[in-house]
Amino acid sequence: MAEPIGVASGLLTLAAFAFQSSVTLCETIKSFTSHPKRVRDLLEEIQALIEVLGPLNDRINATTEAGLSALNLPLKRCGDACKDFEKQILKCVSRSGDNRTSFRDWARLRYMSDDIDGFRRLLAGYKLTINVALTDASLRQSSATSESLESHKFLIETARDDLEAHLESIDDKLEQIMERAATESRSDSSELSLMKEERLSTEKCLQICASLSEHIDQLQVKSKRGDYASSLPGSKASPENITNEGLQECKENLVRTAAKLETYMQELMIQMLTKTEANMNSGEDLVDLKRLREEWETTRQCMEICSRADQLLKENVTTIDNYGTGDAVQFMVSTSGQVIHGKNRGLGWRTRQVGGHISDDSVQQLSRDMTSINLRSAGNKETAHGDPISDSVADQTSSEYSQRFGRGFVLTPKTSLDESRAGTSLSTPAAHYSPKN
């Protein structure tokens, strides 16, 4: 228990740091009287970030789970970015000679070569990543509705798209700084050039893996006769299923290969950044390079958080779509606590459905109870209707009678009192009588 508590303690410190830094930045911007459109948009983004960091602090305080520890680096960078941007604002104000009442030159603000809109997108990436991690942690402990699952999928896709765009922007900026550093230090320019070529080659290999994996997805076909082929004597699987299994193995190998290439490219990038930093003595480029390096590593970590959340969603969510007709019994249950996403639908005179999170023993008992109900119902139905052949003969006799004598009507059986008065005894049941013309 000591390790999770230690992890939670460190995470809580970073979450509190990010929360306080964002609140301070928000108050600093609000203290100015001039708020153009882009500044108002930034304020909205900061407030949205604060609304996410608040529940994160509460969750870390209430539990010792270490599942959120992947947020360590994003929270640190988030807090640092808010503090650095606040310093940039105050520095810009002091240089212009204005005060908080007269300052209007918001367009001059820069952070890692980006303007206010770029900084707003940076904070949006942190907010989305934290949201993904919080939702992922919630799904690990409770079930979810169909709507919440779809919302979580959309959140992951949105965060991943934004992070990929942000990573491309960081790569471009790093490329420019490294080129300038290589020009100033010709002794290391050849080595940096080789590293750059190696990185481009690695990116090309990753593209090949992604393209081949996508092509495999298109080749994999669902067997239309797999169930029939599997039921044939001596047959274990259909040709389509065998092919799909082989293609799936190829895809899994590609995933492992891509992971190794990603690790290699990250190590290569770190070597390039380290060598570039060693060739730079001081100046704004060195400060930007250090920030961009941290941001590059943080963005990679954020993308890893999104990938793990997406994988968990695929592995721990069971999709069931039941549809029954007639006398159907449908089960849509989880005995292991796995999230269920599906529907129980039925059309029939007696469709019974079971759904939810229940124990395995309860499922077996329900199955036995429903089987017993089916047997009793079948017996009652047979007793009520009698022999189907006899019923058919009776219907045919009634039809012949109507054709010969007319429709007729049913006579009411006489009581014992009526029989004694008439002096006769009727022992036959009700009979049909047709009046003569």
Side-chain angles (χ1 to χ4, degrees):
M1 291 297 293
E3 184 177 356
I5 293 176
V7 170
S9 177
L11 184 62
L12 181 60
T13 301
L14 291 172
F17 167 64
F19 179 79
Q20 188 57 50
S21 299
S22 58
V23 169
T24 303
L25 176 60
C26 186
E27 292 174 349
T28 299
I29 296 176
K30 285 182 177 180
S31 66
F32 290 86
T33 56
S34 174
H35 294 136
K37 177 65 168 59
R38 58 173 55 187
V39 179
R40 295 196 302 271
D41 292 341
L42 175 60
L43 277 173
E44 290 180 3
E45 194 62 57
I46 296 174
Q47 290 169 347
L49 175 63
I50 293 171
E51 291 175 359
V52 172
L53 289 170
L56 177 63
N57 277 275
D58 296 338
R59 187 176 185 88
I60 298 172
N61 270 317
T63 182
T64 58
E65 63 176 324
L68 297 171
S69 60
L71 287 174
N72 278 337
L73 188 56
L75 287 172
K76 182 181 181 301
R77 273 298 304 148
C78 179
D80 288 338
C82 289
K83 287 188 66 176
D84 292 341
F85 196 74
E86 182 192 7
K87 292 178 181 178
Q88 288 294 108
I89 294 175
L90 299 178
K91 186 186 294 185
C92 191
V93 172
S94 63
R95 286 177 179 176
S96 64
D98 297 331
N99 53 42
R100 304 195 181 200
T101 304
S102 59
F103 181 73
R104 297 180 180 277
D105 201 5
W106 294 96
R108 293 174 56 188
L109 283 172
R110 288 290 184 275
Y111 183 70
M112 292 193 302
S113 303
D114 275 334
D115 57 6
I116 290 180
D117 289 333
F119 182 73
R120 176 180 57 79
R121 290 191 294 270
L122 177 69
L123 295 185
Y126 297 141
K127 179 195 67 178
L128 285 173
T129 302
I130 296 170
N131 254 329
V132 168
L134 280 173
T135 308
D136 180 51
S138 298
L139 287 178
R140 291 174 185 267
Q141 298 181 354
S142 63
S143 58
T145 63
S146 173
E147 292 76 10
S148 63
L149 289 174
E150 290 299 325
S151 177
H152 188 38
K153 288 179 183 178
F154 178 76
L155 180 64
I156 293 174
E157 292 173 0
T158 302
R160 183 180 291 164
D161 291 342
D162 290 353
L163 289 169
E164 288 177 352
H166 182 53
L167 190 61
E168 289 180 4
S169 175
I170 295 173
D171 285 341
D172 292 340
K173 294 171 186 175
L174 287 173
E175 193 73 31
Q176 295 174 9
I177 294 177
M178 285 188 289
E179 285 181 359
R180 288 198 297 268
T183 303
E184 294 174 1
S185 178
R186 296 183 178 179
S187 59
D188 292 330
S189 61
S190 59
E191 186 176 358
L192 285 171
S193 178
L194 290 174
M195 288 182 178
K196 179 180 177 181
E197 291 180 3
E198 186 71 9
R199 184 181 172 216
L200 293 174
S201 175
T202 307
E203 289 179 348
K204 182 64 176 177
C205 292
L206 282 169
Q207 292 174 2
I208 292 173
C209 290
S211 177
L212 183 55
S213 179
E214 183 179 352
H215 186 54
I216 290 176
D217 288 337
Q218 296 173 356
L219 289 176
Q220 284 180 312
V221 293
K222 185 177 181 181
S223 174
K224 295 182 179 179
R225 61 186 189 91
D227 295 338
Y228 169 72
S230 299
S231 64
L232 293 177
S235 176
K236 296 182 178 180
S238 68
E240 291 89 346
N241 288 338
I242 295 173
T243 303
N244 285 340
E245 288 176 2
L247 291 173
Q248 185 62 31
E249 290 180 5
C250 293
K251 188 175 179 180
E252 291 172 358
N253 287 330
L254 282 173
V255 171
R256 289 190 288 269
T257 301
K260 292 179 181 179
L261 289 171
E262 283 281 357
T263 302
Y264 177 71
M265 188 173 70
Q266 292 181 27
E267 293 174 351
L268 188 62
M269 187 66 175
I270 291 174
Q271 292 177 11
M272 294 174 66
L273 293 173
T274 302
K275 183 165 287 294
T276 302
E277 286 181 9
N279 293 333
M280 300 173 67
N281 297 323
S282 61
E284 290 294 329
D285 276 352
L286 181 59
V287 175
D288 283 345
L289 180 62
K290 290 181 177 179
R291 287 174 177 171
L292 285 168
R293 177 174 178 171
E294 290 181 358
E295 188 61 29
W296 182 81
E297 294 174 352
T298 302
T299 306
R300 288 280 182 182
Q301 180 66 34
C302 292
M303 293 179 68
E304 180 64 24
I305 291 173
C306 292
S307 297
R308 283 202 297 266
D310 186 42
Q311 187 65 26
L312 178 70
L313 202 61
K314 293 177 180 178
E315 292 178 353
N316 290 1
V317 177
T318 301
T319 301
I320 302 174
D321 191 358
N322 285 334
Y323 182 79
T325 59
D327 187 6
V329 179
Q330 298 173 329
F331 283 84
M332 187 177 69
V333 300
S334 172
T335 59
S336 61
Q338 196 174 39
V339 179
I340 306 173
H341 179 201
K343 296 178 180 178
N344 263 342
R345 298 174 297 157
L347 179 64
W349 65 280
R350 189 176 59 186
T351 300
R352 281 139 297 166
Q353 301 171 337
V354 179
H357 292 78
I358 56 180
S359 67
D360 185 64
D361 292 339
S362 298
V363 173
Q364 294 181 21
Q365 184 61 47
L366 281 171
S367 179
R368 287 192 294 267
D369 292 344
M370 289 186 174
T371 302
S372 176
I373 292 172
N374 281 348
L375 291 175
R376 289 198 302 269
S377 298
N380 293 336
K381 184 177 179 181
E382 183 177 351
T383 303
H385 291 286
D387 186 5
I389 298 178
S390 300
D391 292 342
S392 176
V393 172
D395 292 341
Q396 183 177 0
T397 303
S398 177
S399 176
E400 292 176 354
Y401 180 89
S402 299
Q403 292 176 1
R404 293 179 60 187
F405 303 105
R407 184 182 64 181
F409 58 91
V410 179
L411 294 175
T412 303
K414 291 185 178 182
T415 64
S416 58
L417 181 60
D418 294 334
E419 292 175 359
S420 61
R421 289 177 180 176
T424 60
S425 176
L426 294 176
S427 59
T428 59
H432 289 281
Y433 170 76
S434 297
K436 294 182 180 180
N437 293 332

